[in-house]
Amino acid sequence: MSTYVGDAANAPKFQTAAKTLVNDTQVRHNVRHATGVIRRKRAKVVGEMADWEQLRESGHEIKQHVMRHLDFYLDQFEKSCTAAGGTVHWARDADEANSIIVGLVKAQQAKEVIKVKTMTSDEIRLNAALEAAGITPFETDLADLIVQLGEDKPSHIVVPALHRNRMEIRRIFLDKMNLPELSDKPEDLAAAARVYLREKFLRVPVAISGANFAIAETGSVCVVESEGNGRMCVSLPRVLISLVGIEKIIPTFQDLEVYLQTLPRSATGERMNPYNSIWTGITPEDGPQVFHVVLLDNGRTKVLADREARETLDCIRCGACLNACPVYRQTGGHAYGSVYGGPIGAILTPQLQSMEHSQTLPYASSLCGACYEVCPVKINIPEILVHLRNKVVERGDAPFLEKMAMKAAAYVLESPEHLKRARKLGRIAQSPFAKNGVISHLPGGLDAWTAVRDLPAIPEQSFREWWLKREREAG
Amino acid sequence: MGSARDEILERIRDATGGATQGREAEYAAIPRNYQRVGTLDAAGKLALFVDRLDDYGATVYRAREHDVASSVAEALRARGKTSLLVPRDLPRAWLPEGFHFFREGPSYHEVDASEGVLTDCAVAIASTGTIVLRHSAGEARRALSLIPDYHLCVVFAAQVVETVPEGIDQMKAFAHIPITTIAGPSATADIEMTRVQGVHGPRILDVILA
């Protein structure tokens, strides 16, 4: 079995990609602006909830319960969904899911499909598989459309085009929609997307969606959105195919009362997002008359097997950890080389790929804990990052220098005398690299540290030395 | 090699140790110490609901004495509209004289060409300004409240609950039929986080509170 996450297996090391991206001032500006806006909105609407911590706790406990009994709940979902007229398929990995979906679309003799934002479909590279089979996928979420038409990659799990500004989006739309003219006002850009997609919503007979929640008890699927493109996709076409990661299961309809409070506030800073669609199988005379669910493993059961990292699967994809992360805010999402960026991506991507690839991602963090603090299902991301770093070290893949550095640090910090001598040695050793009190490029394997940050040089005089001198001079 | 289904379930059991015993008791013991039931009186609840709708940019009409028809006429005049689509079972008493109302049934393209739609709702949640639409036969099918650019929705005071858990409690009763929750007009912030109202769903939402 081979699992992959988008093109992450071929992505450059985080440190390498980040080095280029932090120098792109336009992207940095766009990312900092967008994350700043969402953070402020989120803080306001979370602040007004007196029971926020209790909701986080329940959200966490429900998910942990599901993970312990995932076999039961998947089976229950399959039975309920089937009884309501849906058909459930199981896919061990990305290739299997792609071949199931391509087969279903071909069976309808469809040449086009409309899609509502599903990161999971990016994970399995569904669009490429569809195109290879002669089927044209149309992304309908505004940000996804910007990414697709711009032949770009998503950089955020909730707002995938947040690295683009209005001028760039205008250029993409002008080129790809064949428009004679277009302003760069967001209202006009959104209106252009409305016109471009409306015709497709009314005409294309097959839609592909993801799922925010799949309810075991009822067999219902819930899609959370803002623009109405989700409603269009799940209710207008004749055929609907929903791609659902096996971790998206919740036990009961009632459990929505937790997540429909925490998800919108965390994701977009809204008390409630404009639209939620909840449907169960097929309904005569309303909506799709053919409904398929594809349940996807693609490495999730490996995450499940690691008790210390299992709660990675609790994620409800709100993106709050990306917005809160000081590293993400500097680099943007593309540095992570995965459809899942930011702190959650740094733990999810390497695990789904069996740690064979993306081994630098667990190091894409300063372990400051901001991600854990904002997580609406209390995933302890810093702890899992450390756990995964240990795994990298255990596999013997950690840089030799890192192991040496840890040993050296232990020796240096053992006694004040050792530290004093090390400092003197350091001043001599750093002289070729330090400039104006800053080291911006370390030699050899140490460049991983300076790839994304500057290192203050050891000063000419330490505090200890300054203090001694001052005491002496004061006599 | 067995089926994908068997293999995935087998992997899960290997990962979890196949712990299926005590599942129901374990689920029942999940702590739910968040607020389930509201604390506001009826007037406070409605005031909160209206405040939330204002926040989303929906216009609210307060119907007097359950006179829905007069408010429908007022809303249509304010928007300069002469006709609306209505679902099959919408009460005739809600429809004022002097306007055209078409019972549903037309194709998507005809719905697209309409001036707007008038529907009822099933539940409304004050704390989040959420309106819950239920799409059973006779009530508006999903396309009807989605494709037109204008949605006028009637909410009765008795349908308004305060908290999300109270709303979900009501929705459980019709969980098997399609449900749409709406909280304001369709919107996006995908371009520089600037809120744009009206993308694919109705760009204008007016609410009659009766």
Side-chain angles (χ1 to χ4, degrees), chain B residues 4-55:
Chain B
R5 179 185 190 280
D6 293 344
E7 201 176 320
I8 292 170
L9 290 174
E10 192 56 38
R11 288 176 191 168
I12 291 169
R13 287 173 196 131
D14 283 349
T16 60
T20 48
Q21 288 202 338
R23 178 185 43 75
E24 284 174 35
E26 195 187 296
Y27 178 77
I30 290 172
R32 291 177 192 267
N33 299 320
Y34 47 86
Q35 186 189 358
R36 298 204 84 262
V37 182
T39 53
L40 297 171
D41 62 12
K45 205 164 56 180
L46 289 188
L48 179 64
F49 182 52
V50 170
D51 176 73
R52 295 302 191 238
L53 292 170
D54 282 345
D55 201 39

Side-chain angles (χ1 to χ4, degrees), chain A residues 51 58 65 68-69 71 75 78 92 143 166 194 198 226-227 236 252 255 257 271 274 276 278 297, chain B residues 5 7 11 13 19 26-27 31-32 34-36 108 112 147 179 181 183 187-188 190 192 199-200:
Chain A
D51 56 352
S58 298
H65 169 80
R68 282 192 292 273
H69 302 283
D71 53 339
D75 181 63
E78 180 181 47
R92 281 166 279 220
R166 61 183 74 190
R194 179 184 170 98
R198 170 88 22 162
S226 299
E227 295 169 12
L236 297 192
T252 67
D255 294 323
E257 72 186 21
R271 297 188 181 100
N276 293 303
I278 306 166
D297 180 351
Chain B
R5 179 185 190 280
E7 201 176 320
R11 288 176 191 168
R13 287 173 196 131
E26 195 187 296
Y27 178 77
R32 291 177 192 267
Y34 47 86
Q35 186 189 358
R36 298 204 84 262
Y108 291 162
D112 192 32
I147 297 175
I179 295 171
T181 78
T188 184
D190 276 349
E192 296 184 10
V199 194
H200 303 297

Side-chain angles (χ1 to χ4, degrees), chain A residues 1 33-34 37-38 48 51 54-55 57-58 61-62 65 67-75 78 90-92 96 140-143 146 159 161 164-166 169 186-187 189-190 193-194 197-198 201-202 218 220 226-229 231-232 234-236 246 251-258 260-261 265 270-280 283 285-288 295 297 301 304-305 310, chain B residues 1-9 11-24 26-27 30-36 51-52 55-56 88 108-109 112 125 127-130 133 135-137 140-143 145-149 151 164-166 168-169 171-172 175-196 198-203:
Chain A
M1 184 189 70
H33 168 73
V37 172
I38 315 179
E48 69 187 28
D51 56 352
Q54 287 79 4
L55 284 165
E57 185 62 28
S58 298
E61 289 296 327
I62 293 167
H65 169 80
M67 296 314 153
R68 282 192 292 273
H69 302 283
L70 190 56
D71 53 339
F72 172 85
Y73 286 119
L74 284 169
D75 181 63
E78 180 181 47
W90 301 68
R92 281 166 279 220
E96 190 166 21
T140 65
D141 170 77
L142 181 54
I146 295 165
V159 261
R164 295 282 198 187
N165 65 20
R166 61 183 74 190
I169 296 165
E187 296 78 13
L189 296 169
R194 179 184 170 98
L197 288 172
R198 170 88 22 162
F201 287 136
L202 300 182
T218 57
S220 316
S226 299
E227 295 169 12
N229 62 308
R231 292 175 68 189
M232 293 279 181
V234 306
S235 48
L236 297 192
I246 54 173
T252 67
F253 192 87
Q254 190 183 340
D255 294 323
L256 286 174
E257 72 186 21
V258 175
L260 289 186
Q261 294 198 75
R265 286 176 202 258
E270 293 168 299
R271 297 188 181 100
M272 185 65 82
N273 47 291
Y275 300 135
N276 293 303
S277 294
I278 306 166
W279 71 94
T280 309
T283 307
E285 293 176 52
D286 187 5
L295 294 171
D297 180 351
T301 47
L304 190 69
R310 180 183 287 177
Chain B
M1 192 168 69
S3 71
R5 179 185 190 280
D6 293 344
E7 201 176 320
I8 292 170
L9 290 174
R11 288 176 191 168
I12 291 169
R13 287 173 196 131
D14 283 349
T16 60
T20 48
Q21 288 202 338
R23 178 185 43 75
E24 284 174 35
E26 195 187 296
Y27 178 77
I30 290 172
R32 291 177 192 267
N33 299 320
Y34 47 86
Q35 186 189 358
R36 298 204 84 262
D51 176 73
R52 295 302 191 238
D55 201 39
Y56 292 134
R88 202 175 65 210
Y108 291 162
H109 283 93
D112 192 32
I125 303 168
S127 64
T128 57
T130 305
L133 305 179
H135 307 279
S136 67
R141 65 196 166 112
R142 285 175 277 179
S145 56
L146 170 63
I147 297 175
D149 208 14
H151 183 188
V164 171
E166 287 172 319
I168 299 285
D169 277 346
M171 288 157 70
K172 270 197 293 194
H176 58 289
I177 56 176
I179 295 171
T180 304
T181 78
I182 57 181
S186 80
T188 184
D190 276 349
I191 301 167
E192 296 184 10
M193 300 313 294
T194 307
R195 184 179 158 90
V196 175
V199 194
H200 303 297
R203 280 187 274 205

